[in-house]
């Protein structure tokens, strides 16, 4: 099979004849301390930072899934959302792609990332692993590791332990040399060794148990001077904190009464596979899980992920994980706020911070039963200044019914599957089921033991997705007659293969098989005489989870044969094979600005039929503004894309299953990744992030390698923005959390119960509210994009809201008769519903398609 190259620019494409297979916030990085040096320890209740217990909220951000130019903004939005800590894995295969050759540049500039965290005043939880899982290629292990003689991953195996210790030591030494540990004035307060090993430990028997002890001892012996954790590790040694990962961790207890309750991975969404629907976790359920965690004694909680980002290049794990790692996180793949999730969690974090003095003052909560499925946890003690402090959490764990409860002589109504937070044990500051945050609607603006056949990874070393296997098959006249007589064709049969197999005979595609270690049976047609049989195996992300990863491999397993010949089956393992790793275009780097002219590109006409295994290129200008840029590849089939030499990832226009998506998402009840999915019957991913830092103002080089055929003339460059904002808050909502910290409340001159609720609208940075599309104070009906005026309506609603909001990046509108200068319907509970539009200057970038 041949690969060809084509160029498209303006309204022209270029084609090469067949080739034989052969808005950023800048924070200066300065040396020196970010904090006054402090120590971190812990007791049964919490981490102790600079001598004080702390209740900590952590935001998971993986630095290689964004560009360095995005890091500051992501960190600042995490801080604005209420995070105290950033958490990240360390990606071994990104930092040591070749044994002994280290990479700490670009997206892998770990020191720069940590310094930016310190500059923002946040702490860092650094999860060294070095196994990360993370839906990352090969779980973060470099592929060269499996070639070390005698190696077995993640067990009591000397070759593996030697390499693991060298890398972990390298990272700890790097952090120490850059003075990034807290006792040096840096942000690092905690480290992690290994990762979810408890899930696979039994597979390794006693050697697994010994490995856990060794890993802990090795880590502690590095003298990092901060606590170490192991997640999902019930047999973690005494000096290592075992932590919880999951959708809910409020019932988790560590394996020692001397250790605090930590939640290292709060799964606020889920990952997506090619051909799968898109998971979504409701903000109400996520807030419920977090509130329950702190209610029942938790002290450190990390969102996995707070920002998911993008699996650039070939970093997505597998098999079959898509390029986007959006994860339904509070910050979307591009770094935009996902509302109402981001805003609802921000309010939750503010409420928890109001409770922190009481939470750290008490060694344990007082428990009080309020009903059959209702309960209270009360924390009280003396604050830092000696005064009494009290905070309470009232929970209704009934999945269906609201409950009316009595607490401290007052009545409270608890929505089903919700927690109310009372920072003063009296007034409700927040309820997890009552969302007051705005809803943002994202808009996309067009801009335009093996056989003779060698094992895939042993040959490619994961330098490419593609491995070509070629042999010659001689077919006799008797074989041809035999097939005609029996009305049958010979068949390529392979016991087991992964992820994609394409079978070619005499340069023509016979068929393809897709699956993870599935049997492959593909009919083929031969001519009399010599026939070239070409098998192309492809990986779509290496396995990143499970035991014995080093044995998983790729390509073929078991027997491979040709069936249906007159004289019986032909054992393909006995044939003479030649191999080619990757593509000629990959080897010559024709996707880069420096080398793309190595190929003899020719113009592609618009009426040319789609072709397989074709290289295309064009140039495009960068859309105006600062909104995230995406490449819309819905018109293409399967392949990879590069912009100015940067590998934006794999693409695959595969359709998700038609069934399984619910018309309405009910937040109540335990969440799982099959609940509240969307996008059924649609392509799993069509838009691919192109970071603006990779772009020039004009003449950006776009190179596409297309495997299955597609229409490059319909490719377009677009921008993404939160163009529509909606807010809907009633008079019965709680006072805004920001009022709890005002001087009037703090000095006792204002009762929090007398403060009216409000709608808060805010555009992304660099945008302002340009118009109010709908506003009604009264009894509006419907939801965002479907609001309508009800029987009760204040006629001045639009004018009042416009006066408060138009031309501003952010605005607050009080939900009260006073704000709207009248009562449009006395004695009726009123609601303010608003839909606003944020101004955008982005337009489709014209590629001339």
């Amino acid at each position: 099979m041949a690969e060809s190259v084509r160029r498209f620019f303006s309204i022209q494409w270029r084609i090469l004849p067949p080739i034989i297979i052969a808005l950023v916030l800048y924070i200066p990085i300065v040396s020196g301390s970010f904090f006054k040096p402090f120590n971190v320890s812990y007791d049964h209740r919490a981490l102790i930072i600079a001598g004080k217990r702390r209740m900590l909220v952590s935001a998971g951000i993986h630095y290689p899934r964004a560009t360095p130019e995005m890091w500051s903004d992501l960190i600042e939005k995490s801080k604005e959302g209420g995070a105290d800590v950033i958490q990240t894995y360390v990606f071994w295969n990104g930092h040591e792609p070749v044994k002994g050759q280290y990479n700490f540049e670009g997206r892998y500039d770990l020191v720069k990332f940590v310094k930016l965290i310190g500059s923002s005043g946040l702490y860092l939880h650094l999860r060294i692993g070095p196994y990360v899982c993370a839906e990352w290629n090969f779980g973060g292990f470099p592929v060269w590791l499996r070639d070390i003689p005698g190696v077995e991953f993640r067990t009591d195996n000397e070759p593996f332990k030697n390499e693991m210790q060298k890398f972990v030591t390298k990272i700890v030494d790097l952090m120490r040399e850059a003075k990034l540990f807290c006792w040096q004035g840096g942000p690092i307060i905690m480290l992690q060794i290994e990762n979810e090993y408890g899930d696979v430990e039994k597979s390794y028997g006693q050697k697994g148990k010994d490995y856990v002890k060794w890993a802990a001892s090795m880590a502690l012996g590095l003298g990092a001077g901060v606590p170490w954790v192991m997640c999902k590790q019930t047999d973690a040694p005494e000096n290592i904190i075992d932590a919880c990962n999951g959708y809910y961790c409020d019932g988790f207890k560590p394996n020692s009464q001397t250790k605090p309750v930590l939640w290292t991975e709060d799964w606020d969404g889920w990952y997506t596979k090619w051909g799968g629907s898109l998971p979504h976790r409701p903000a109400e359920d996520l807030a419920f899980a977090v509130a329950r965690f702190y209610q029942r004694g938790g002290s450190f909680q990390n969102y996995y992920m707070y920002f998911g980002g993008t699996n650039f290049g070939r970093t997505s794990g597998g098999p079959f994980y898509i390029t986007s790692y959006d994860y339904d996180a509070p910050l979307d793949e591009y770094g935009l706020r996902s509302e109402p999730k981001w805003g609802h969690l921000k309010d939750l974090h503010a409420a928890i911070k109001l409770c922190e003095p009481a939470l750290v003052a008490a060694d344990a909560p007082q428990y009080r039963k309020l009903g059959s499925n209702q309960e209270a946890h009360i924390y009280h003690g003396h604050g830092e200044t000696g005064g009494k402090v009290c905070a309470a959490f009232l929970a209704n764990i009934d999945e269906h019914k609201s409950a009316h409860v009595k607490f401290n002589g007052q009545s409270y109504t608890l929505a089903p599957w919700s927690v109310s937070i009372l920072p003063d044990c009296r007034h409700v500051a927040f309820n997890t089921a009552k969302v007051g945050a705005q809803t943002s609607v994202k808009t996309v603006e067009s801009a335009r033991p093996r056989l003779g056949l060698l094992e895939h990874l042993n040959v490619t070393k994961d330098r490419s997705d593609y491995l070509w296997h070629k042999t010659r098959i001689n077919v006799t006249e008797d074989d041809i007659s035999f097939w005609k007589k029996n009305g049958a064709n010979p068949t390529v049969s392979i016991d087991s293969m992964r992820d994609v197999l394409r079978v070619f005979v005499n340069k023509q595609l016979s068929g393809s098989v897709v699956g993870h270690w599935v049997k492959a049976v593909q009919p083929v047609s031969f001519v009399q005489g010599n026939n070239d049989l070409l098998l192309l195996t492809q990986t779509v992300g290496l396995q990143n989870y499970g035991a014995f990863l080093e044995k998983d491999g790729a390509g073929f397993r078991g027997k491979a044969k040709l069936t249906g010949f007159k004289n019986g089956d032909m054992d393909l393992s006995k044939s003479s094979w030649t191999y080619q790793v990757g593509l000629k275009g990959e080897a010559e780097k024709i996707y880069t600005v420096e080398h793309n002219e190595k190929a003899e590109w020719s113009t592609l006409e618009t009426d040319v039929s789609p072709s397989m295994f074709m290289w295309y290129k064009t140039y495009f200008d960068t859309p105006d503004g600062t909104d995230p840029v995406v490449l819309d590849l819905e018109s293409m089939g399967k392949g990879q894309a590069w912009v100015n030499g940067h590998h934006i990832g794999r693409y695959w226009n595969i359709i998700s299953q038609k069934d399984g998506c619910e018309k309405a998402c009910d937040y109540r009840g335990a969440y799982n990744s099959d609940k509240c999915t969307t996008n059924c019957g649609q392509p799993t991913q069509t838009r691919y992030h192109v970071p603006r830092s990779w772009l020039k103002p004009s003449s950006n080089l776009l190179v596409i390698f297309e495997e299955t055929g597609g229409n490059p003339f319909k490719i377009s460059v677009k921008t993404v923005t939160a163009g529509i904002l909606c807010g809907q808050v009633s008079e019965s909502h709680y006072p805004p959390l920001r009022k709890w910290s005002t001087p009037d409340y703090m000095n006792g001159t204002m009762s929090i119960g007398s403060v009216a609720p409000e709608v808060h609208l805010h555009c992304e940075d660099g945008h302002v509210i340009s118009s109010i599309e709908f506003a009604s104070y009264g009894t509006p009906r419907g939801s965002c994009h479907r609001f309508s005026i009800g029987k009760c309506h204040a006629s001045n609603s639009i004018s009042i809201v416009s006066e408060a909001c138009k031309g501003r990046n952010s605005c607050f509108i009080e939900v009260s008769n006073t704000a709207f200068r009248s009562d449009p319907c006395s004695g009726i509970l009123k609601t303010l519903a608003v839909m606003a539009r944020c101004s955008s200057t982005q337009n489709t970038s014209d590629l001339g398609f």
Side-chain angles (χ1 to χ4, degrees):
M1 180 61 190
E3 51 173 306
S4 301
V5 293
R6 299 185 176 187
R7 174 171 62 192
F8 54 104
F9 64 97
S10 290
I11 58 172
Q12 291 186 322
W13 291 76
R14 298 289 182 182
I15 178 173
L16 185 69
I19 302 171
I20 303 300
I21 298 173
L23 177 72
V24 177
L25 172 66
Y26 175 70
I27 299 178
I29 303 300
V30 296
S31 59
S33 299
F34 302 102
F35 304 92
K36 181 179 179 181
F38 62 93
N39 291 320
V40 177
S41 59
Y42 58 87
D43 61 13
H44 73 284
R45 183 68 187 97
L47 291 177
I48 299 173
I49 295 179
K52 298 179 181 179
R53 287 178 177 171
R54 289 296 309 278
M55 296 291 112
L56 298 173
V57 172
S58 175
I61 299 174
H62 294 162
Y63 51 96
R65 284 175 158 143
T67 61
E69 291 78 7
M70 295 171 66
W71 291 344
S72 290
D73 185 59
L74 297 173
I75 293 165
E76 288 304 315
K77 283 179 177 174
S78 301
K79 182 177 181 178
E80 182 188 358
D84 309 288
V85 183
I86 301 295
Q87 183 201 81
T88 187
Y89 281 126
V90 177
F91 296 84
W92 189 357
N93 54 11
H95 290 299
E96 194 179 3
V98 178
K99 191 176 187 301
Q101 297 180 20
Y102 294 99
N103 172 29
F104 290 98
E105 298 179 351
R107 290 185 294 113
Y108 295 96
D109 191 342
L110 178 59
V111 169
K112 179 177 181 178
F113 181 68
V114 179
K115 286 184 175 181
L116 285 170
I117 294 168
S119 295
S120 73
L122 298 183
Y123 304 131
L124 173 65
H125 177 207
L126 191 64
R127 308 173 79 189
I128 301 177
Y131 168 71
V132 300
C133 185
E135 292 71 61
W136 186 266
N137 195 51
F138 213 33
F141 286 134
V143 172
W144 57 257
L145 191 64
R146 70 194 293 272
D147 295 330
I148 293 176
V151 75
E152 292 181 52
F153 293 2
R154 304 177 76 196
T155 188
D156 189 14
N157 172 267
E158 290 303 320
F160 175 76
K161 292 193 298 182
N162 289 339
E163 295 300 330
M164 174 176 167
Q165 182 166 354
K166 278 194 286 187
F167 181 73
V168 174
T169 302
K170 175 78 175 179
I171 298 302
V172 171
D173 287 348
L174 185 68
M175 298 298 102
R176 183 188 289 113
E177 290 164 6
K179 294 181 170 54
L180 296 175
F181 286 107
C182 59
W183 48 270
Q184 299 173 298
I188 300 175
I189 61 169
M190 190 161 58
L191 300 172
Q192 178 176 305
I193 193 69
E194 250 298 335
N195 186 49
E196 295 186 334
Y197 189 69
D199 287 349
V200 299
E201 183 175 342
K202 289 182 180 178
S203 301
Y204 297 98
Q206 184 59 45
K207 293 180 71 175
K209 297 179 183 296
D210 294 340
Y211 168 69
V212 170
K213 295 176 182 177
W214 169 84
S217 177
M218 181 271 291
L220 292 169
L222 296 176
V226 296
W228 287 83
V229 303
M230 283 181 166
C231 60
K232 300 182 78 172
Q233 196 66 50
T234 57
D235 61 349
E238 180 60 29
N239 292 327
I240 302 287
I241 306 171
D242 57 311
C244 183
N245 291 357
Y247 291 118
Y248 306 92
C249 282
D250 54 286
F252 173 76
K253 299 297 179 185
N255 62 8
S256 169
Q257 294 182 357
T258 65
K259 302 177 183 180
V261 179
L262 310 185
W263 190 358
T264 39
E265 290 187 17
D266 176 358
W267 302 333
D268 52 21
W270 203 241
Y271 57 86
T272 306
K273 288 190 174 186
W274 296 112
S277 54
L278 304 181
H280 296 281
R281 187 174 186 186
E284 299 95 326
D285 174 69
L286 179 57
F288 171 78
V290 175
R292 287 287 285 167
F293 176 73
Y294 289 100
Q295 174 180 5
R296 299 182 66 188
S299 60
F300 173 100
Q301 175 267 341
N302 172 74
Y303 292 102
Y304 188 99
M305 303 293 298
Y306 199 79
F307 163 81
T310 306
N311 294 315
F312 295 114
R314 299 172 53 251
T315 58
S316 60
F320 304 120
Y321 297 153
I322 68 172
T323 299
S324 171
Y325 200 64
D326 182 89
Y327 216 86
D328 195 37
L331 297 177
D332 72 9
E333 178 182 1
Y334 319 112
L336 302 177
R337 298 175 184 88
S338 291
E339 300 279 21
K341 184 174 282 188
W342 184 89
H344 193 49
L345 295 178
K346 178 183 180 181
D347 289 345
L348 167 65
H349 304 153
I352 291 171
K353 290 303 175 187
L354 291 172
C355 298
E356 186 172 15
L359 292 174
V360 299
D363 283 333
Q366 175 190 348
Y367 176 80
R368 190 179 302 174
K369 189 75 171 174
L370 301 178
S372 58
N373 286 303
Q374 296 78 39
E375 60 188 21
H377 290 72
I378 306 103
Y379 294 83
H380 51 78
H382 290 86
E384 289 185 24
T385 59
K388 291 183 178 180
V389 290
C390 184
F393 296 75
L394 312 184
N396 178 13
I397 58 177
D398 191 298
E399 297 182 15
H400 305 290
K401 298 178 181 178
S402 294
H404 303 282
V405 300
K406 284 278 191 178
F407 176 73
N408 286 356
Q410 292 197 88
S411 297
Y412 298 87
T413 299
L414 303 177
W417 200 253
S418 78
V419 177
S420 285
I421 299 177
L422 290 63
D424 57 0
C425 285
R426 180 177 176 82
H427 296 98
V428 176
F430 182 85
N431 178 271
T432 59
K434 205 162 189 175
V435 179
Q438 70 181 22
T439 296
S440 62
V441 180
K442 304 290 173 57
T443 56
V444 179
E445 302 293 339
S446 290
R448 238 352 232 159
R450 309 282 194 257
L451 294 173
L453 279 167
L454 298 181
E455 195 273 337
H456 183 109
L457 282 184
N458 284 340
V459 181
T460 67
K461 307 302 182 188
D462 199 37
R463 295 190 300 270
S464 172
D465 283 354
Y466 311 97
L467 178 62
W468 307 82
H469 316 63
K470 184 178 180 181
T471 192
R472 181 156 290 181
I473 305 298
N474 184 264
V475 174
T476 67
E477 184 179 355
D478 288 346
D479 291 322
I480 298 292
S481 299
F482 178 75
W483 296 330
K484 288 181 178 179
K485 178 180 178 181
N486 292 281
N489 285 326
T491 298
V492 173
S493 176
I494 299 171
D495 285 353
S496 184
M497 56 72 58
R498 64 155 295 188
D499 298 335
V500 179
L501 168 67
R502 305 195 191 279
V503 180
F504 300 87
V505 175
N506 299 325
K507 299 184 180 181
Q508 298 299 312
L509 178 67
S510 297
S512 303
V513 181
V514 176
H516 183 63
W517 296 128
V518 297
K519 184 175 180 65
V521 178
Q522 177 59 53
V524 292
S525 295
F526 292 122
V527 298
Q528 185 176 335
N530 289 328
N531 295 261
D532 288 331
L533 174 63
L534 183 64
L535 306 180
L536 171 61
T537 54
Q538 298 175 229
T539 53
V540 190
L542 300 185
Q543 188 78 17
N544 63 267
Y545 180 77
F548 310 110
L549 282 181
E550 73 280 1
K551 296 179 173 62
D552 186 66
F556 305 134
R557 282 180 180 170
K559 294 181 179 180
K561 58 187 178 181
L562 277 171
T563 65
F565 281 72
K566 181 179 180 181
N567 295 326
D569 296 345
M570 182 183 299
D571 186 349
L572 289 176
S573 67
K574 296 180 180 179
S575 300
S576 176
W577 292 89
T578 57
Y579 299 88
Q580 177 181 303
V581 175
L583 309 168
K584 183 179 177 68
E586 283 182 309
E588 295 185 353
K589 298 182 179 180
I590 66 173
Y591 50 80
T592 64
V593 175
E594 298 81 6
H595 300 293
N596 81 93
E597 293 302 336
K598 285 183 178 179
E600 298 178 6
W601 303 93
S602 60
T603 302
L604 175 67
E605 304 299 334
T606 58
D607 58 352
V608 173
S609 299
S611 300
M612 296 181 62
F613 293 91
M614 193 68 65
W615 289 92
Y616 301 101
K617 80 167 182 177
T618 192
Y619 295 89
F620 68 92
D621 294 341
T622 299
D624 294 336
T626 60
D627 286 338
V629 177
V630 296
L631 198 62
D632 190 326
L633 297 174
E634 187 172 4
S635 66
M636 303 303 286
K638 180 181 182 296
Q640 300 180 52
W642 294 260
V643 173
N644 294 331
H646 297 282
H647 195 174
I648 67 171
R650 302 181 182 96
Y651 66 86
W652 196 354
N653 193 22
I654 188 170
I655 305 298
S656 64
Q657 70 273 14
K658 293 183 179 180
D659 301 323
C661 293
E662 304 168 5
K663 291 184 178 179
C665 175
D666 188 346
Y667 77 88
R668 299 172 298 180
Y671 178 79
N672 63 70
S673 59
D674 294 324
K675 181 179 180 181
C676 297
T677 58
T678 62
N679 207 51
C680 289
Q682 301 296 320
T684 303
Q685 182 176 357
T686 59
R687 296 192 292 269
Y688 298 83
H689 185 201
V690 184
R692 280 189 176 268
S693 60
W694 290 357
L695 298 174
K696 303 177 294 182
S698 61
S699 301
N700 294 286
L701 173 66
L702 169 61
V703 176
I704 300 284
F705 178 70
E706 170 59 44
E707 300 172 16
T708 64
N711 186 350
F713 289 102
K714 291 186 178 180
I715 294 173
S716 60
V717 175
K718 300 180 177 181
T719 57
V720 181
T721 186
I724 297 293
L725 308 178
C726 293
Q728 190 171 17
V729 173
S730 75
E731 291 177 298
S732 66
H733 206 86
Y734 308 115
L737 280 152
R738 64 192 184 103
K739 298 293 186 179
W740 287 76
S741 302
T742 59
D744 286 345
Y745 173 73
M746 301 296 288
N747 62 27
T749 60
M750 177 187 74
S751 168
I752 200 66
S754 66
V755 179
E758 61 188 15
V759 169
H760 178 207
L761 301 177
H762 60 97
C763 300
E764 289 289 331
D765 293 343
H767 297 75
V768 296
I769 296 170
S770 55
S771 64
I772 304 301
E773 306 288 309
F774 178 90
S776 176
Y777 176 63
T779 57
R781 297 188 294 262
S783 57
C784 191
H785 266 309
R786 296 180 178 85
F787 286 135
S788 63
I789 293 173
K791 292 182 178 180
C792 171
H793 169 70
S795 59
N796 62 351
S797 296
I798 284 188
S799 63
I800 294 293
V801 174
S802 295
E803 183 181 354
C805 298
K806 280 188 68 174
R808 294 181 171 88
N809 171 262
S810 174
C811 63
F812 299 89
I813 313 103
E814 185 177 293
V815 183
S816 70
N817 294 334
T818 301
F820 288 86
R821 302 166 191 162
S822 67
D823 185 348
C825 42
S826 179
I828 295 176
L829 180 69
K830 288 166 284 293
T831 295
L832 173 61
V834 179
M835 186 169 80
R837 185 177 297 276
C838 293
S839 63
S840 174
T841 59
Q842 288 73 25
N843 295 303
T844 301
S845 179
D846 184 11
L847 295 183
F849 296 161

